[in-house]
Amino acid sequence: RYAEGSGLPNQTINAITRDARGYWWFGTEDGLVRFDGHQFVEADLAFADAPIDTHVVALAATPGGVFAATRSRLVHVDPGSLATTRIRSGQGDIGGVLAVAADAAGRMHAGTRDGVLWRLPPDFGGAAVALALDGPVRPTGITAMDLDGPQGWLASIEGVWRLDLTSGRVEPFRYDLPALDGGARHVRGLLADGDTLWIGYWNDGLVRVDTARGAVRWFHPAQPGAGALRATSVPVLALADGRLYAGTNRGLVVHEPA
């Protein structure tokens, strides 16, 4: 068990990622640390010309380093030297980032609580560009993203959105489940696996949708077949060895496909 006395800046951990070199990174409410299995080394998130903000909200690892979002800015951290570079737009720092993800081409994107989807510069020297999202309605905020498949997916407090990264076209994704208003509820976790879309809701459980056939399965403690799921909020989803791991507000559960 590791706590503040072990080198963690704060015991409230908001994000975890593992980089290409095998280091673990923990984003806490009071800083970002790299962990090699023995000790924590803290990355310096302070900048002389900006207010101090070490409250890490989201992390994403790439072969070239780690992207870390705090409440008021987005930075790139070199995995070896721990040198930090601010990722900015033409108007300055990018605040309110809740999710960072790569698309199928390896381009990094950041989604904000204001519903802006930024494409990040590949060399960190240029400016991030806000993508023009086109559609009759657009998400008011982006809480999670999955962009590395043939199509992109965005999560928001209004449900899931289907995204065409080439055209910027977005449209609400709905499915046949009247109890959840067709999916128009607050989404916190999102993961696409081929034609299978996993959706983790804030207070409405976990849903699996077959996007090709339209088949829907709802996992909720109050519904039959929930198995070990005892929580209604599912903000974290990950796949490994064919299993789905779901981080909930009452612990971790594993879904076996068989």
Side-chain angles (χ1 to χ4, degrees):
R1 181 178 181 274
Y2 299 98
E4 288 172 277
S6 310
L8 276 176
N10 188 295
Q11 291 185 171
T12 301
I13 297 172
N14 296 323
I16 302 173
T17 192
R18 190 179 187 219
D19 68 22
R21 302 169 63 183
Y23 289 115
W24 288 95
W25 297 75
F26 297 89
T28 79
E29 287 191 351
D30 284 319
L32 172 66
V33 288
R34 185 189 68 191
F35 184 58
D36 63 3
H38 301 284
Q39 64 178 348
F40 296 92
V41 179
E42 190 165 359
D44 186 2
L45 299 179
F47 298 90
D49 62 342
I52 293 176
D53 179 8
T54 58
H55 186 127
V56 179
V57 178
L59 293 174
T62 71
V66 172
F67 289 88
T70 69
R71 290 175 296 185
S72 60
R73 64 183 61 97
L74 179 66
V75 302
H76 179 267
V77 185
D78 181 90
S81 68
L82 296 182
T84 56
T85 304
R86 283 153 82 179
I87 309 299
R88 310 176 83 179
S89 71
Q91 290 74 46
D93 284 318
I94 302 172
V97 172
L98 298 179
V100 184
D103 65 16
R107 298 171 299 189
M108 297 301 297
H109 297 75
T112 76
R113 68 174 70 254
D114 297 325
V116 180
L117 181 62
W118 295 93
R119 180 166 289 163
L120 308 184
D123 58 359
F124 320 125
V129 176
L131 298 187
L133 300 181
D134 177 40
V137 288
R138 294 180 292 279
T140 58
I142 299 172
T143 57
M145 304 186 294
D146 191 311
L147 306 178
D148 64 353
Q151 65 182 347
W153 301 94
L154 305 176
S156 77
I157 61 173
E158 305 102 342
V160 174
W161 302 71
R162 199 191 303 258
L163 167 68
D164 184 327
L165 272 169
T166 302
S167 66
R169 178 76 178 179
V170 289
E171 58 183 18
F173 175 73
R174 299 291 181 257
Y175 51 82
D176 187 18
L177 189 60
L180 292 190
D181 301 322
R185 299 287 182 91
H186 187 170
V187 179
R188 291 296 300 275
L190 182 66
L191 193 151
D193 180 27
D195 291 332
T196 300
L197 185 65
W198 291 96
I199 308 170
Y201 287 93
W202 187 256
N203 210 34
D204 285 301
L206 176 67
V207 169
R208 181 185 65 201
V209 183
D210 184 322
T211 57
R213 298 186 299 114
V216 181
R217 175 74 185 273
W218 183 25
F219 300 90
H220 190 282
Q223 299 294 321
L229 183 65
R230 297 289 181 267
T232 58
S233 293
V234 187
V236 180
L237 297 171
L239 286 173
D241 301 322
R243 300 180 182 91
L244 176 82
Y245 291 82
T248 79
N249 61 334
R250 295 188 64 184
L252 180 70
V253 295
V254 185
H255 179 267
E256 295 279 357

